Amino acid sequence: MLNPLLVRKELQSVGKYMMENQLAWGNAGNISARSGSEEFMITASGTYLGELENNDLVECPLFGGVTVLEKKKPSKEIPMHRAIYQSRPDIQAVLHASPFYSTLVACSSLNVAKDWFVETMYYLERVERVPYHHPGSEELGQAVREKAKLANILILENHGVLVYDVSIREARMALHTLELACKMMLLSKRAGTDMNALSQDVMSDFLNNAGYKPRRNWNV
């Protein structure tokens, strides 16, 4: 059973981590985690992720409307967070941000390299792109819903990124790996450095047999 007090503490910790590691800036971005069987906790509108107070995290129902008991208004990005949780029962945390290098990729036609090293194979297992829709719109929520089962990372075109995983810790590491991989890709292009990619066979062997964690089931 999920402990809402622990979930709140972990969200506060990951918000601080994101700010300290340049994975978020200003009051941009929003993060959430399941807090019960039919509830999730999300940052309030306009909050600064690096200094989240208890009342900056608003508990919302997974189904139905957005009525909440707390006085603060939840992030307007509820539609895409809810779409992930409703589509993926295995997912426990969703992080949305606009890190510098990842957002450069989101504003381009570049594809994220997943076949360079261990962390990209492990954390960037599947990446999909979502066409631009206005932030907070039901259209964006529906577009995210259509891709939710296909990936663990969504590139939101001309917007930012959406990372979701089986725990707050795994989602945090996936977001950090994504940003560093995008930075490496863009800097290598600028330097004219040709990167050596691993083969699909090597990637499959690693994901199936390395023993880091059970292979994710994508047949859902």
Side-chain angles (χ1 to χ4, degrees), residues 201-211 213-216:
D201 287 344
V202 170
M203 290 181 62
S204 295
D205 182 58
F206 171 80
L207 292 171
N208 286 313
N209 303 313
K213 66 176 180 181
R215 180 72 187 272
R216 200 189 304 265

Side-chain angles (χ1 to χ4, degrees), residues 53-89:
E53 301 292 341
N54 285 339
N55 64 354
D56 290 327
L57 292 159
V58 182
E59 196 161 36
C60 303
L62 184 56
F63 298 93
V66 297
T67 303
V68 294
L69 298 177
E70 290 88 343
K71 293 181 180 179
K72 286 202 172 185
K73 181 180 178 181
S75 168
K76 68 178 180 180
E77 298 283 24
I78 275 185
M80 65 180 184
H81 286 256
R82 180 176 278 153
I84 295 293
Y85 293 125
Q86 290 178 350
S87 303
R88 296 283 299 275

Side-chain angles (χ1 to χ4, degrees), residues 29-71:
N30 36 83
I31 58 179
S32 70
R34 290 186 190 268
S35 55
S37 60
E38 295 188 358
E39 301 84 27
F40 66 99
M41 200 173 291
I42 191 170
T43 45
S45 179
T47 51
Y48 176 71
L49 296 183
E51 299 175 351
L52 292 173
E53 301 292 341
N54 285 339
N55 64 354
D56 290 327
L57 292 159
V58 182
E59 196 161 36
C60 303
L62 184 56
F63 298 93
V66 297
T67 303
V68 294
L69 298 177
E70 290 88 343
K71 293 181 180 179

Side-chain angles (χ1 to χ4, degrees), residues 6-149:
L6 181 58
V7 171
R8 191 179 299 272
K9 183 177 179 180
E10 289 183 348
L11 283 172
Q12 291 170 328
S13 178
V14 77
K16 183 177 180 181
Y17 180 95
M18 288 167 65
M19 282 296 182
E20 289 178 344
N21 290 278
Q22 298 183 324
L23 301 176
W25 51 272
N27 62 359
N30 36 83
I31 58 179
S32 70
R34 290 186 190 268
S35 55
S37 60
E38 295 188 358
E39 301 84 27
F40 66 99
M41 200 173 291
I42 191 170
T43 45
S45 179
T47 51
Y48 176 71
L49 296 183
E51 299 175 351
L52 292 173
E53 301 292 341
N54 285 339
N55 64 354
D56 290 327
L57 292 159
V58 182
E59 196 161 36
C60 303
L62 184 56
F63 298 93
V66 297
T67 303
V68 294
L69 298 177
E70 290 88 343
K71 293 181 180 179
K72 286 202 172 185
K73 181 180 178 181
S75 168
K76 68 178 180 180
E77 298 283 24
I78 275 185
M80 65 180 184
H81 286 256
R82 180 176 278 153
I84 295 293
Y85 293 125
Q86 290 178 350
S87 303
R88 296 283 299 275
D90 58 315
I91 295 302
Q92 298 296 317
V94 179
L95 308 180
H96 168 51
S98 302
F100 184 80
Y101 291 98
S102 300
T103 305
L104 277 176
V105 171
C107 294
S108 75
S109 58
L110 294 171
N111 292 317
V112 179
K114 302 174 291 181
D115 51 7
W116 282 356
F117 53 93
V118 168
E119 284 75 19
T120 56
M121 288 189 289
Y122 180 72
Y123 288 110
L124 313 185
E125 189 176 351
R126 293 204 178 183
V127 180
E128 291 281 333
R129 297 183 75 97
V130 175
Y132 177 83
H133 296 280
H134 293 327
S137 65
E138 292 296 333
E139 291 80 6
L140 177 57
Q142 182 57 36
V144 166
R145 186 182 301 276
E146 291 171 3
K147 296 293 183 73
K149 293 183 179 181

